[in-house]
Amino acid sequence: MGKDNQRYANPDDRSDNVEKLQEMVQNTIHNLEAAHETMQFSSEEEKQKIMDKNKRREESIASFRNEIKDEAKHNKDK
């Protein structure tokens, strides 16, 4: 049974991708907000690192939202 099963890839199950991506957006927003709160107690160097990281978080959120649109379109076109 082992070798025969290895020939076939798992089917692409995209049914819950939108929900997963939305959860990732929410988690990233939460992390961004928490980092903003932390900044008030941080040194200038730490503030700069937080700002840099938050910029990357904002870019990730935009990417996640684009993926959500793509997945929603894919699900609609089925």
Side-chain angles (χ1 to χ4, degrees):
M1 181 158 108
K3 288 186 179 181
D4 290 334
N5 286 341
Q6 292 175 356
R7 285 189 225 169
Y8 304 104
N10 290 335
D12 186 18
D13 180 11
R14 298 170 70 165
S15 62
D16 62 348
N17 281 4
V18 171
E19 292 83 10
K20 288 178 183 177
L21 287 164
Q22 287 173 332
E23 185 176 333
M24 291 166 71
V25 167
Q26 291 302 316
N27 290 340
T28 305
I29 289 171
H30 174 76
N31 291 340
L32 190 136
E33 291 170 348
H36 276 293
E37 292 175 18
T38 302
M39 284 178 64
Q40 62 186 323
F41 306 108
S42 301
S43 70
E44 289 305 313
E45 182 180 340
E46 291 170 329
K47 284 180 185 178
Q48 186 59 51
K49 288 179 182 178
I50 292 169
M51 288 189 295
D52 292 343
K53 191 161 190 172
N54 278 351
K55 183 175 192 252
R56 292 190 299 273
R57 286 180 172 128
E58 290 168 357
E59 292 167 355
S60 293
I61 291 167
S63 294
F64 291 147
R65 288 184 171 151
N66 284 333
E67 285 186 57
I68 289 169
K69 288 177 190 174
D70 290 344
E71 286 296 324
K73 183 181 182 318
H74 171 80
N75 290 340
K76 181 182 173 192
D77 291 344
K78 279 185 172 180

